[in-house]
């Protein structure tokens, strides 16, 4: 019996066996199985393992051990081998075919996973390899449990030709079918090039590790040949590029251990599937009615002064803890998973520290995808508003701020989970509407006494409305300042929207946490069916 094209398996002698008395008894068969499992678990050879370590990378099985609770992982199809021939493949038939698949427990809850083993065929995907991933995807969907892909592969196995490409098609089809049904997480711990990169892009969250992981459709060599541009693998598709520029990576880490620790933490927050509510703390340690006095000093009254919205979020949520999504991309909007009174909640907030908190193309896309994820998995939404509008400029208009901004509008309008809006300071123009206003379906809208809800700022409005009067005046600046003050008094006082029912209540900032906890508790059983349809046609 040959294993992975290596030496024959040598079994120990069975003391109970007797020559000439038929097949070996059960003990010999079990001993054979034990040795086979040990050989499979060890991997192809020590040299391949050392090469992996020299790259600063863990092996597939070491990653699996870090992901799952100790001793809970159940591997499936460990003895699978490819059946391809040609180009020398018939003499190289390692068990697992380069991918470890199975299920286990993460913080006591069932999770499925597959992990590419770069030591075998460079983690490249062939027919058997793909079939194993298809199987674990189907099992995860059927069981209603999250799935994690630990990606470290060289793409399609060239020797198997179009069969390998078809394998990727099956993965993509299952990614889409499971979207919004079970959480899907991709962890990039190695290269991911060509069509292989589309599977992570179809999942809910993408984790990347610096220096060892890259994602791109065409590599540096092809880029140089076609465009003449010279760039490194990391410069083209490294973790920082995708975490800050492209938005492909949700998170970036310096090492695999901290990366997988955060994967475990994220899984502890999320529901197992779209039919469940997110797990809640049985006895929240942070009182729901805790006053948030610090907010009275944290947020400046002057609408032009900056502050850190993350500090506001920390004051409102349980124990000041929140898990920010896409922290390095589109920082002018903050998206975070938090707990309020022990219950998981999604927060979308403008960030005045960056671009004054305006909505631009990346921020709209980031927030829209987060809103869609929360809605798919029954996670209530709180929107903290301090937005001066959409970012003006030729570049924004030519690159489609209209359709990209419409993505966020569509996501909110389509969401059926509980939705509460809190307006801290300014909320101008179309951006006010898009940031989950009452007019697009927010269940409750609360505002601080510092709120300014208007079509635009008072200065701009006065310049438009009173342009001729200001121009004709003997002292244009004096008239301008008078009209600005008049506009503020008439249309921008903090109770204007409340008087017209567009804000449900104006609250003391120190009561923000208790008001949100009460509102979310009231809305917990909310049910709003959507009209019968196959699906909407959301903006692209």
């Amino acid at each position: 019996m040959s294993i992975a094209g290596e030496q024959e398996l040598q079994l120990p002698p069975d003391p109970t066996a007797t020559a000439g008395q038929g097949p070996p008894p059960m003990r010999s068969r079990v001993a054979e199985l034990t040795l086979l499992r040990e050989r499979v678990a060890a991997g192809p050879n020590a040299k391949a393992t050392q090469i992996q370590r020299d790259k600063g990378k863990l092996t597939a099985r070491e990653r699996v051990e870090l992901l799952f609770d100790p001793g809970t992982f159940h591997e499936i199809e460990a003895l699978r081998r490819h059946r391809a021939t040609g180009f020398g493949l018939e003499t190289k038939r390692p068990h697992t075919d380069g991918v470890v698949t199975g299920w286990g427990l993460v913080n006591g809850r069932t999770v499925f996973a597959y992990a590419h083993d770069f030591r075998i065929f460079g983690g490249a995907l062939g027919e058997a390899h793909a079939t194993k991933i298809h199987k674990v995807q189907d099992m995860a969907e059927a069981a209603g449990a999250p799935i994690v892909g630990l990606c470290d592969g060289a793409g399609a196995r060239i020797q198997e030709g179009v069969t390998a490409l078809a394998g990727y098609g099956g993965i993509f089809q299952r990614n889409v079918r499971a979207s919004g049904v079970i959480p899907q997480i991709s962890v990039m711990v190695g290269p991911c090039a060509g069509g292989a990169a589309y599977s992570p892009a179809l999942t809910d969250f993408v984790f990347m590790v610096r220096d060892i992981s890259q994602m791109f459709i065409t590599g540096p060599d092809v880029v140089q040949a076609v465009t003449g541009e010279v760039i490194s693998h990391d410069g083209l598709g490294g973790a920082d590029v995708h975490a800050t520029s492209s938005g492909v990576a949700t998170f970036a880490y310096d090492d695999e251990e901290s990366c997988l620790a955060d994967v475990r933490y994220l899984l502890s927050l999320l529901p197992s599937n779209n039919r469940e509510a997110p797990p809640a703390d049985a006895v929240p340690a942070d009182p729901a009615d805790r006053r948030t006095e610090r907010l009275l000093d944290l947020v400046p009254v002057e609408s032009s002064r900056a502050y850190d919205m993350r500090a506001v979020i920390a004051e409102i949520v349980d124990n000041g803890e929140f898990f920010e999504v896409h922290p390095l991309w589109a920082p002018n909007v903050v998206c975070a998973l938090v707990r309020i009174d022990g219950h998981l909640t999604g927060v979308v907030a403008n960030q005045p520290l960056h671009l004054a908190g305006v909505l631009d193309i990346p921020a709209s896309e980031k927030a829209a995808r987060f809103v869609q994820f929360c809605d798919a998995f029954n996670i209530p939404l709180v929107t903290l508003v301090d937005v001066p509008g959409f970012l003006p400029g030729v570049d924004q208009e030519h690159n489609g701020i209209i359709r990209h901004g419409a993505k966020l509008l569509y996501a909110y309008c389509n969401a059926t989970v509980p939705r509460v809006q809190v307006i801290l300071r300014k909320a101008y123009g179309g951006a006010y509407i898009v940031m989950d206003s009452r007019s697009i379906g927010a269940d409750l809208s609360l505002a601080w006494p510092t709120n300014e809800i208007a079509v635009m700022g008072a200065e701009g409005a006065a310049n438009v409305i009173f342009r001729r009067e200001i121009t004709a005046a003997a002292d244009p600046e004096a008239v301008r300042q008078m009209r600005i003050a008049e506009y503020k008094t008439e249309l921008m006082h903090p109770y204007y929207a409340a008087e017209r029912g567009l804000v449900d209540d104006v609250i003391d900032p120190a009561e923000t946490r208790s008001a949100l906890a009460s509102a979310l508790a009231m809305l917990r059983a909310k049910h709003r069916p959507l009209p019968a349809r196959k699906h909407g046609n959301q903006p692209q």
Side-chain angles (χ1 to χ4, degrees):
M1 178 180 185
S2 176
I3 299 179
E6 298 180 354
Q7 62 189 26
E8 292 292 322
L9 182 64
Q10 300 297 319
L11 297 178
D14 186 343
T16 65
T18 303
Q21 292 189 358
M26 182 64 75
R27 292 183 186 275
S28 293
R29 296 292 177 88
V30 171
E32 177 185 9
L33 174 61
T34 300
L35 285 177
L36 181 55
R37 283 179 169 174
E38 291 175 353
R39 183 75 61 81
V40 171
N45 54 62
K47 180 180 179 181
T49 300
Q50 188 58 47
I51 291 173
Q52 184 83 344
R53 299 205 190 289
D54 290 343
K55 294 178 180 177
K57 297 161 65 175
L58 301 175
T59 67
R61 295 182 185 278
E62 288 170 339
R63 292 162 178 160
V64 167
E65 289 174 2
L66 286 173
L67 175 62
F68 290 100
D69 298 344
T72 65
F73 182 66
H74 299 268
E75 187 173 357
I76 58 173
E77 295 200 3
L79 305 183
R80 186 74 177 250
R81 304 167 81 179
H82 74 75
R83 54 190 179 187
T85 58
F87 305 101
L89 284 179
E90 60 274 10
T91 63
K92 298 177 181 179
R93 301 182 61 234
H95 289 94
T96 75
D97 201 46
V99 63
V100 177
T101 57
W103 81 93
L105 301 180
V106 175
N107 298 307
R109 299 164 64 212
T110 299
V111 173
F112 289 78
Y114 62 88
H116 299 300
D117 191 340
F118 198 83
R119 299 173 300 170
I120 298 174
F121 296 129
L125 181 138
E127 180 189 27
H129 183 121
T131 302
K132 289 180 65 175
I133 296 176
H134 297 168
K135 182 171 184 176
V136 80
Q137 288 181 292
D138 290 342
M139 292 177 70
E141 184 181 348
I147 184 167
V148 178
L150 300 167
C151 304
D152 184 9
R157 197 172 299 170
I158 299 172
Q159 300 93 322
E160 294 195 29
V162 70
T163 306
L165 295 178
Y168 274 122
I171 293 172
F172 303 157
Q173 191 266 343
R174 288 167 172 82
N175 286 142
V176 174
R177 192 176 66 198
S179 181
V181 178
I182 56 174
Q184 300 180 82
I185 296 174
S186 297
V187 185
M188 314 311 296
V189 283
C192 186
Y198 283 114
S199 179
L202 290 168
T203 60
D204 299 307
F205 300 96
V206 177
F207 291 71
M208 291 190 75
V209 179
R210 294 182 177 93
D211 299 327
I212 65 171
S213 65
Q214 302 88 29
M215 297 174 66
F216 35 70
I217 299 300
T218 55
D221 293 341
V222 176
V223 169
Q224 183 177 0
V226 174
T227 70
E229 298 169 289
V230 179
I231 193 168
S232 67
H233 285 78
D234 273 335
L236 182 62
D240 287 323
V241 169
H242 286 309
T244 61
S245 298
S246 73
V248 172
T250 321
F251 311 99
Y253 297 86
D254 291 329
D255 57 80
E256 295 187 57
E257 290 81 2
S258 59
C259 175
L260 289 169
D262 265 7
V263 173
R264 286 177 53 87
Y265 178 67
L266 176 58
L267 287 167
S268 75
L269 296 174
L270 302 178
S272 292
N273 56 64
N274 65 343
R275 300 184 303 276
E276 296 182 1
D281 293 338
V283 183
D286 198 350
D289 59 356
R290 171 174 57 79
R291 286 181 61 82
T292 50
E293 296 283 350
R294 184 167 175 257
L295 295 180
L296 296 171
D297 303 313
L298 187 62
V299 179
V301 173
E302 300 87 349
S303 62
S304 60
R305 288 180 57 191
Y307 62 93
D308 191 347
M309 183 62 82
R310 290 171 299 183
V312 174
I313 295 171
E315 283 297 307
I316 294 171
V317 304
D318 292 1
N319 305 309
E321 298 177 358
F322 60 94
F323 192 64
E324 188 173 355
V325 175
H326 279 298
L328 303 176
W329 180 55
N332 42 317
V333 68
V334 176
C335 298
L337 293 170
V338 309
R339 290 195 185 280
I340 297 178
D341 194 24
H343 292 271
L344 185 66
T345 305
V347 171
V348 178
N350 306 111
Q351 173 57 291
L353 275 186
H354 297 278
L355 295 176
V358 298
L359 290 177
D360 59 1
I361 290 172
S364 299
E365 291 187 328
K366 171 181 170 178
R369 183 159 174 79
F370 182 75
V371 168
Q372 289 176 163
F373 175 82
C374 289
D375 185 52
F377 289 101
N378 311 309
I379 302 171
L381 287 161
V382 168
T383 304
L384 305 178
V385 183
D386 191 348
V387 61
F390 282 94
L391 181 64
V394 174
D395 181 67
Q396 288 287 306
E397 296 293 347
H398 286 187
N399 283 290
I401 184 63
I402 295 173
R403 61 185 175 87
H404 290 287
K407 293 178 184 179
L408 180 55
L409 180 61
Y410 188 100
Y412 270 125
C413 290
N414 202 45
T416 62
V417 293
R419 292 155 50 190
V420 181
Q421 180 197 51
V422 182
I423 302 169
L424 280 61
R425 294 194 310 186
K426 54 189 174 297
Y428 296 160
Y432 154 66
I433 300 172
V434 170
M435 289 296 291
D436 205 20
S437 63
R438 278 291 306 275
S439 59
I440 65 169
D443 297 293
L444 283 173
S445 178
L446 308 175
W448 288 5
T450 46
N451 81 82
E452 294 180 355
I453 306 174
V455 175
M456 62 176 67
E459 292 80 2
N463 288 338
V464 172
I465 299 172
F466 305 107
R467 181 180 67 254
R468 293 181 179 177
E469 180 183 352
I470 293 171
T471 302
D475 186 349
E477 184 58 27
V479 173
R480 181 174 174 274
Q481 291 301 324
M482 179 186 69
R483 292 306 189 186
I484 289 173
E486 178 184 350
Y487 187 85
K488 285 183 176 180
T489 301
E490 293 295 324
L491 297 177
M492 292 183 66
H493 64 80
Y495 308 106
Y496 184 85
E499 291 170 0
R500 286 152 180 79
L502 297 175
V503 166
D504 292 289
D505 196 10
V506 179
I507 63 172
D508 178 349
E511 299 174 352
T512 303
R513 173 176 165 82
S514 59
L516 286 173
S518 297
L520 293 171
M522 176 272 293
L523 291 166
R524 201 152 289 138
K526 173 187 174 183
H527 176 68
R528 197 199 89 184
L530 291 171
R533 61 181 176 184
K534 187 175 182 180
H535 57 73
N537 186 20
Q538 65 188 66
Q540 297 298 321

